[in-house]
Amino acid sequence: MASVEELIQETNKAVESFKQLSTDEQLGLLWFIYKEMGNSITPAAPGAANSQFTENLLIQVKEMEQEQQLAFMRDLVERTRTEYTQQYRAYSKDNKLLFWYELAVLMSEGEVIPVPESYSLGNDATKLLNTLSAMDFNSQLTVLRDAVIDMGPTA
């Protein structure tokens, strides 16, 4: 059994690996995490967050053209300051996690631009997905939360 320090190091390493991925690889990995682990990870997000805070931005995203939706997601990852990313920036860490979960649901329902069916993760992203799959629930949740908390513009 891993010590607390080892678990912290493992999650920190996974978050750093995530941040080293390209913008589109980060978005792709978030999608694959939702597809592969969504059922186990996502109940924690709604339980710790309040969807009333994320609802307005999600409505705005749904109203965008698909290319604008993709540009918005890229802007979040690249920390670009826009009207929409500023709204995201104001969310708590749990609401940021909830936002990405709800965005993935909308993508799976076809209301937001989906990841192309032919898309496959690169080697680094695949390794990270495998690492995340092997982690315990709390570590997975910590990595996801820490990965999305820094998205959006800085103050």
Side-chain angles (χ1 to χ4, degrees):
M1 183 172 195
S3 71
V4 173
E5 286 179 12
E6 290 171 327
L7 289 174
I8 291 170
Q9 287 176 350
E10 182 183 35
T11 57
N12 287 344
K13 183 177 177 186
V15 171
E16 286 309 309
S17 295
F18 179 85
K19 291 178 180 181
Q20 296 300 316
L21 298 173
S22 71
T23 298
D24 286 345
E25 284 278 282
Q26 288 183 38
L27 292 173
L29 182 57
L30 287 172
W31 171 250
F32 277 88
I33 290 169
Y34 166 75
K35 279 181 55 178
E36 300 217 357
M37 294 183 271
N39 290 337
S40 64
I41 289 178
T42 52
N50 192 331
S51 63
Q52 75 180 20
F53 295 115
T54 59
E55 184 177 5
N56 184 47
L57 182 56
L58 288 164
I59 289 169
Q60 293 174 58
V61 172
K62 287 191 315 187
E63 292 172 351
M64 295 175 183
E65 297 294 324
Q66 285 194 339
E67 287 305 313
Q68 291 174 305
Q69 292 169 344
L70 180 57
F72 163 71
M73 288 184 251
R74 287 175 172 157
D75 286 344
L76 282 175
V77 172
E78 295 169 0
R79 304 174 74 169
T80 303
R81 184 181 305 275
T82 70
E83 168 189 352
Y84 303 111
T85 61
Q86 284 289 98
Q87 291 177 54
Y88 176 88
R89 179 181 161 271
Y91 293 162
S92 71
K93 62 184 177 182
D94 290 324
N95 279 328
K96 287 179 180 182
L97 183 59
L98 176 62
F99 176 83
W100 280 102
Y101 167 69
E102 291 174 331
L103 192 63
V105 170
L106 293 174
M107 291 169 70
S108 70
E109 294 172 348
E111 294 190 56
V112 172
I113 188 170
V115 173
E117 288 188 32
S118 61
Y119 180 81
S120 62
L121 292 173
N123 288 339
D124 291 339
T126 299
K127 286 179 191 174
L128 184 52
L129 181 61
N130 291 336
T131 298
L132 288 171
S133 296
M135 289 179 167
D136 68 43
F137 172 78
N138 288 328
S139 295
Q140 290 173 342
L141 196 57
T142 298
V143 170
L144 285 175
R145 188 178 289 123
D146 289 353
V148 301
I149 196 168
D150 288 335
M151 292 183 179
T154 57

